[in-house]
Amino acid sequence: MPNILMPALSPTMEEGKLAKWLKKEGEAVKAGDVIAEIETDKATMEVEAVDEGVLSKILVPEGAENVKVNTPIGFIAVDGEAEAPSAQVDVVPEPAQPAAPAPQAPPKPSAQPKAPAPAEAEYPADAPMVAMTVREALRDAMAEEMRRDDSVFVMGEEVAEYQGAYKVTQGLLQEFGPKRVVDTPITEHGFTGVGVGAAMAGLRPIVEFMTFNFSMQAIDQIVNSAAKTLYMSGGQMGAPIVFRGPNGAAARVAAQHSQDFAAWYSHIPGLKVVAPYTAADAKGLLKAAIRDPNPVVFLENEILYGQSFDVPRIDDFVLPIGKARIARRGEHVTLVSWSIGMTYAHKAAELLAEEGIEAEIVDLRTIRPMDVETIVRSVMKTGRCVTIEEGWPQSGVGAEIAARLMVDAFDYLDAPVLRVTGKDTPMPYAANLEKLALPSAAEVVEAARAVLYR
Amino acid sequence: MAASNKTRAGRRDPGSTADEKAAPRAPDGSDPIGPIAPAPFTREEDLRAYRDMLLIRRFEEKAGQMYGMGLIGGFCHLYIGQEAVVVGVDMAARPGDQVITSYRDHGHMLACGMDPKGVMAELTGRRGGLSKGKGGSMHMFSREKNFYGGHGIVGAQVSLGTGLGFANWYRGNDSVSLVYFGDGASNQGQVYESFNMAELWKLPVVYIVENNRYAMGTSVTRSSALTDFSKRGASFNIPGRQVDGMDVRAVKAAADAALAWCRRGAGPIILEMQTYRYRGHSMSDPAKYRSKEEVQKMREEHDPIEQVRVRLLAAGVTEAELKKIDAGARAIVSEAAEFATQNPEPDPSELMTDILL
Ligand SMILES: Cc1ncc(C[n+]2csc(CCOP(=O)(O)OP(=O)(O)O)c2C)c(N)n1
Ligand SMILES: [Mg+2]
């Protein structure tokens, strides 16, 4: 019975590479010794021995890729005992049956239907495409803008030496140095104010929140200082600043670390709010946000960081803030979403297609200013609309979309707009409850059927 | 002076404009608390400290294993290396004193006497967990044990803990609020807003900075202009002490003095516990910010449990007796793990309960 299992080392880890064994078979280990190194898409991490004994067997050789969490990788014989651990050995009993479902990450996007070219092409149709993760796209966007404009700098917790808590700023310190890639103490309210002040003085800060949950410490400076200064100064001075970081639920991080701020910031005049889904949008829109003379809240998503998409390889790929994207064409029902919500929309569209229902998906990309025109144009065709977001229902972005459609597309609507949202409760920790708290493709399908009266 | 008829010497009414400065300061303005003598432990005290610290160590090792197996999810911050801090303070505290801390909270809960089964079942997100599986590793509470959480937002517990002290002051009782926070948390603005109010109103609060030298990957020298955390109350006139947080006797002696200070109405006090975490910040920590040698050296030369073990052996306690204590801790932890694995998940109806009363 092997007692070293491939460990899960982060909330979202499902598999990893067994990069290196630091102990050989037959070697003695003490509790706390590092016995192996594991690589995930985020980082290299160390596996420590918990018990004292002898590494009697290595079951997975170093260099092995895609080793699933919980695969036996080796065995430590404790106290010179034989290989089978005695009753005394502290081995956690394997769960009798899968008592708890493995930490449930929201569904991965399925093979993405080739997005129809946007009405006005955002890049040449023959542009070479390169696959990259959202994480890489964001990093590249920052690096390109920092090369282009030396008033652009990044500040936040763990952005420099640690290379970003989620590795989004990887390599920036090495290229741009500590003056432009600034590690801050844990003082969100303070460093956000420092960032806004620097922006008022003409610099272009990118303020990273380790996650947007912590932006609540700083929301006063974002709302009262960044968003309102242009107005209060009669147009004399604004704050060209980007607030960015992962927003919304990750996996099993519970009530205080799972909040979606799309609706919160979208409430505020004087802010722009961007929430991309694909790597191309992440790159093009982050570059636009950095160049924008206004404060931009740029909402990323931890679960999307590791996902790959095609990104056009062209010089200076900048996308317009405030323009939605038709992500899938269809004529029966319009699904509107953004960021991680798009994964539910795509999944649902496929399920609906099996029933002969063709959904059109609008990827909003920017929450404020909202591209109502694109939504209305789609609804003029389909007559029905379902919005999808992980945030809470009351005063959510979906509520705003429904209100706008009631005014701007009333005559085209054949059914009330329905919202699929996160449940109206703080995020629970338990795996089964968390799953229930988040939206699902099934709920989207159900809502689509309802607006089609099927 | 409307609300309080029980205001004791030195305590000022919140909202009062009275100009009295009644803190019992030494007449020459020197250190008001005086030196804290490190008190030797009796054999019984050492045995208790050993047992309590070992339980935390074994519990955390098991939690780490269970995280690796996917039985625990999300963020999970282990307390291994810091055990002497909560155990020493708990040995000095009285029933009624409140405890509040950050997300690195398993040790605090065990030291408060919260049921290891309930803690472990919360880590696995089961209905028998202390928060019915809804809070997880970072969010557990116990009204019964006066444990006020388990907070995920760095620094938030400092104001909350000051509020617990305010409630003691308001009620005129003798309880003290024990507020734990990290070296990293010490840089949050609300810490200083709280310090000011606590001293202004002479609230009974012991601010316990668990200086484990790192906030995630940032060492204190990279985050803090003043790395002597015992002086962080200086501009508010709050006294402070640096304490060897790896020596449970030093911790208890400092906590004794601090609690006495608070109980006689002298206001808040800061204890900087110099400690060390052996494991990563959370389970997903690449640990590139410190050397393996640094960690190994702390483990080998300053381990809080080993220090007590050596003392006990010197005092004539046998290896066999110590092994028995360890076996006892392991048995409690195994039972907790077993429970936390077998206990069912919360009923789906729990999703929408406990939102409002
Ligand atoms: C307001 C806020 N900012 C950032 C974080 C992310 N974060 C969690 S723990 C941590 C480090 C805290 O370090 P310290 O206070 O020294 O406590 P330790 O983890 O060492 O116990 C950070 C930055 C958070 N949870 N809350
Ligand atoms: Mg720390």
Side-chain angles (χ1 to χ4, degrees):
Chain A
M1 211 172 107
N3 64 356
I4 317 174
L5 303 176
M6 180 72 170
L9 294 169
S10 80
T12 47
M13 173 171 169
E14 282 160 19
E15 58 180 36
K17 173 178 173 185
L18 207 169
K20 202 155 146 199
W21 279 102
L22 297 164
K23 297 278 174 189
K24 288 192 279 297
E25 275 187 10
E27 219 177 311
V29 294
K30 287 200 303 297
D33 281 357
V34 178
I35 49 178
E37 275 181 11
I38 286 176
E39 266 172 42
T40 66
D41 61 340
K42 269 195 253 173
T44 302
M45 280 170 292
E46 295 170 339
V47 182
E48 291 178 2
V50 182
D51 287 304
E52 196 160 310
V54 171
L55 179 61
S56 59
K57 201 165 249 142
I58 285 177
L59 299 169
V60 175
E62 64 182 32
E65 307 240 15
N66 309 330
V67 183
K68 292 255 177 309
V69 163
N70 265 342
T71 311
I73 57 172
F75 177 73
I76 293 183
V78 178
D79 254 347
E81 284 167 289
E83 295 223 344
S86 79
Q88 266 193 327
V89 179
D90 206 22
V91 175
V92 180
E94 305 243 359
Q97 78 234 84
Q104 194 69 38
K108 295 264 147 58
S110 38
Q112 226 208 302
K114 195 86 184 139
E120 298 155 54
E122 288 176 339
Y123 49 86
D126 60 350
M129 302 299 273
V130 47
M132 65 168 71
T133 62
V134 171
R135 177 182 284 117
E136 292 162 340
L138 292 165
R139 198 244 349 257
D140 286 0
M142 286 188 280
E144 286 176 22
E145 293 307 297
M146 289 174 80
R147 281 175 211 133
R148 186 178 161 270
D149 177 355
D150 63 14
S151 66
V152 178
F153 69 98
V154 186
M155 70 193 291
E157 292 158 20
E158 309 287 359
V159 297
E161 292 202 6
Y162 198 82
Q163 308 286 302
Y166 296 95
K167 300 290 169 261
V168 177
T169 52
Q170 191 136 35
L172 295 185
L173 173 68
Q174 283 65 26
E175 182 175 351
F176 300 102
K179 186 174 166 191
R180 298 184 66 193
V181 187
V182 183
D183 273 331
T184 63
I186 310 170
T187 55
E188 288 84 4
H189 194 201
F191 71 69
T192 300
V194 169
V196 175
M200 287 164 74
L203 297 183
R204 291 187 171 257
I206 303 170
V207 169
E208 173 174 309
F209 293 116
M210 188 174 286
T211 78
F212 258 93
N213 301 289
F214 316 139
S215 77
M216 253 199 292
Q217 299 282 313
I219 201 164
D220 181 74
Q221 293 290 19
I222 300 173
V223 174
N224 266 326
S225 304
K228 299 177 184 169
T229 299
L230 184 66
Y231 194 81
M232 296 187 301
S233 68
Q236 290 182 75
M237 66 174 74
I241 184 169
V242 177
F243 305 103
R244 52 154 290 274
N247 172 59
R252 307 287 307 280
V253 293
Q256 293 184 332
H257 283 76
S258 303
Q259 199 155 311
D260 181 353
F261 287 88
W264 288 54
Y265 289 112
S266 90
H267 193 61
I268 310 298
L271 291 181
K272 294 186 178 183
V273 183
V274 178
Y277 167 55
T278 68
D281 288 347
K283 184 172 183 193
L285 288 168
L286 183 53
K287 282 167 68 79
I290 295 167
R291 289 183 198 184
D292 202 285
N294 299 292
V296 180
V297 172
F298 196 91
L299 304 170
E300 302 159 8
N301 185 281
E302 189 197 332
I303 288 162
L304 296 178
Y305 278 154
Q307 297 188 12
S308 284
F309 297 85
D310 281 346
V311 177
R313 186 161 50 199
I314 49 177
D315 280 350
D316 221 18
F317 172 60
V318 183
L319 290 172
I321 292 176
K323 279 244 158 12
R325 175 178 71 96
I326 304 293
R328 179 182 174 121
R329 296 252 180 237
E331 60 255 30
H332 299 131
V333 57
T334 301
L335 307 180
V336 185
S337 197
W338 56 92
S339 186
I340 186 89
M342 290 293 293
T343 58
Y344 307 109
H346 277 302
K347 187 85 211 294
E350 270 161 40
L351 294 171
L352 288 166
E354 286 167 17
E355 301 174 16
I357 298 170
E358 289 305 329
E360 178 147 302
I361 302 179
V362 177
D363 179 354
L364 215 46
R365 302 195 291 188
T366 302
I367 314 295
R368 181 188 188 96
M370 192 181 281
D371 184 359
V372 180
E373 196 190 318
T374 296
I375 307 174
V376 167
R377 230 184 294 122
S378 176
V379 169
M380 284 168 68
K381 184 169 67 177
T382 63
R384 307 156 202 268
C385 182
V386 173
T387 66
I388 303 138
E389 67 192 300
E390 284 194 348
W392 291 308
Q394 179 156 339
S395 311
V397 179
E400 175 67 19
I401 294 170
R404 300 278 196 107
L405 286 177
M406 193 148 63
V407 175
D408 293 347
F410 190 73
D411 293 338
Y412 297 95
L413 282 170
D414 294 323
V417 177
L418 287 188
R419 295 171 292 161
V420 174
T421 67
K423 305 305 175 295
D424 199 11
T425 174
M427 184 63 78
Y429 166 72
N432 65 330
L433 298 186
E434 182 184 58
K435 208 170 155 198
L436 292 172
L438 289 165
S440 67
E443 287 170 351
V444 178
V445 167
E446 200 183 319
R449 284 197 202 118
V451 295
L452 283 155
Y453 303 110
R454 299 221 192 161
Chain B
M1 298 290 246
S4 168
N5 47 7
K6 288 191 194 165
T7 305
R8 282 169 299 161
R11 293 201 180 177
R12 291 173 67 192
D13 241 352
S16 101
T17 50
D19 198 21
E20 91 239 47
K21 257 280 172 234
R25 303 263 173 235
D28 61 356
S30 69
D31 192 322
I33 334 168
I36 296 173
F41 268 15
T42 62
R43 180 187 158 110
E44 278 56 49
E45 283 175 318
D46 265 334
L47 279 169
R48 174 182 165 192
Y50 188 70
R51 199 175 293 116
D52 290 358
M53 291 196 288
L54 209 52
L55 176 64
I56 296 173
R57 175 77 50 101
R58 297 289 174 248
F59 185 95
E60 294 292 68
E61 286 167 354
K62 180 70 86 179
Q65 284 178 335
M66 290 173 67
Y67 191 96
M69 296 169 73
L71 284 163
I72 296 170
F75 294 133
C76 181
H77 310 82
L78 302 183
Y79 197 62
I80 298 178
Q82 302 181 213
E83 296 91 343
V85 179
V86 288
V87 169
V89 173
D90 185 67
M91 288 174 80
R94 288 214 293 244
D97 292 340
Q98 302 107 324
V99 173
I100 190 166
T101 188
S102 70
Y103 44 83
R104 196 180 301 285
D105 54 357
H106 311 164
H108 302 70
M109 294 185 285
L110 295 176
C112 282
M114 289 161 69
D115 178 13
K117 285 202 287 211
V119 179
M120 197 66 100
E122 191 59 40
L123 297 185
T124 54
R126 305 306 170 87
R127 63 178 62 175
L130 284 162
S131 298
K132 305 181 194 162
K134 291 155 82 161
S137 162
M138 299 187 286
H139 311 302
M140 275 177 258
F141 305 80
S142 168
R143 183 62 73 209
E144 185 199 343
K145 305 287 182 193
N146 272 318
F147 181 74
Y148 285 83
H151 297 270
I153 301 303
V154 168
Q157 77 273 24
V158 181
S159 314
L160 299 172
T162 305
L164 298 172
F166 183 94
N168 295 335
W169 172 87
Y170 190 88
R171 295 200 171 103
N173 66 28
D174 246 345
S175 297
V176 175
S177 168
L178 299 163
V179 183
Y180 293 86
F181 53 106
D183 46 282
S186 300
N187 295 318
Q188 286 286 33
Q190 61 181 317
V191 171
Y192 299 91
E193 300 178 20
S194 301
F195 281 1
N196 184 44
M197 287 183 280
E199 177 63 25
L200 184 65
W201 300 330
K202 298 279 181 239
L203 304 179
V205 181
V206 183
Y207 293 104
I208 303 162
V209 183
E210 295 197 65
N211 177 5
N212 60 11
R213 303 199 198 170
Y214 298 91
M216 289 185 82
T218 304
S219 66
V220 293
T221 49
R222 296 207 302 115
S223 67
S224 299
L226 175 68
T227 56
D228 181 344
F229 293 94
S230 71
K231 296 209 179 98
R232 289 291 185 100
S235 51
F236 310 98
N237 218 12
I238 301 178
R241 276 287 182 286
Q242 284 189 314
V243 183
D244 177 358
M246 305 301 270
D247 179 352
V248 68
R249 295 169 307 179
V251 172
K252 170 157 186 304
D256 277 333
L259 284 159
W261 170 264
C262 288
R263 287 201 221 281
R264 68 170 189 266
I269 178 168
I270 297 170
L271 297 179
E272 174 192 343
M273 300 292 180
Q274 298 180 315
T275 181
Y276 200 78
R277 72 167 151 72
Y278 295 175
R279 297 297 191 89
H281 166 73
S282 64
M283 302 306 292
S284 47
D285 179 349
K288 295 287 178 247
Y289 49 84
R290 60 182 185 185
S291 69
K292 294 188 180 87
E293 292 70 40
E294 180 185 304
V295 182
Q296 210 53 38
K297 197 170 147 66
M298 285 305 286
R299 293 182 102 120
E300 276 161 17
E301 296 173 16
H302 299 279
D303 188 74
I305 300 176
E306 186 59 24
Q307 288 185 38
V308 182
R309 210 178 81 88
V310 168
R311 273 204 305 276
L312 284 169
L313 287 172
V317 178
T318 63
E319 283 278 7
E321 284 172 88
L322 294 181
K323 270 231 158 89
K324 221 173 121 198
I325 293 177
D326 192 14
R330 285 178 188 270
I332 293 171
V333 167
S334 289
E335 197 194 341
E338 177 72 17
F339 175 73
T341 315
Q342 303 303 334
N343 191 239
E345 291 189 304
D347 190 85
S349 66
E350 285 290 348
L351 180 65
M352 302 305 290
T353 61
D354 304 322
I355 299 168
L356 288 172
L357 289 175

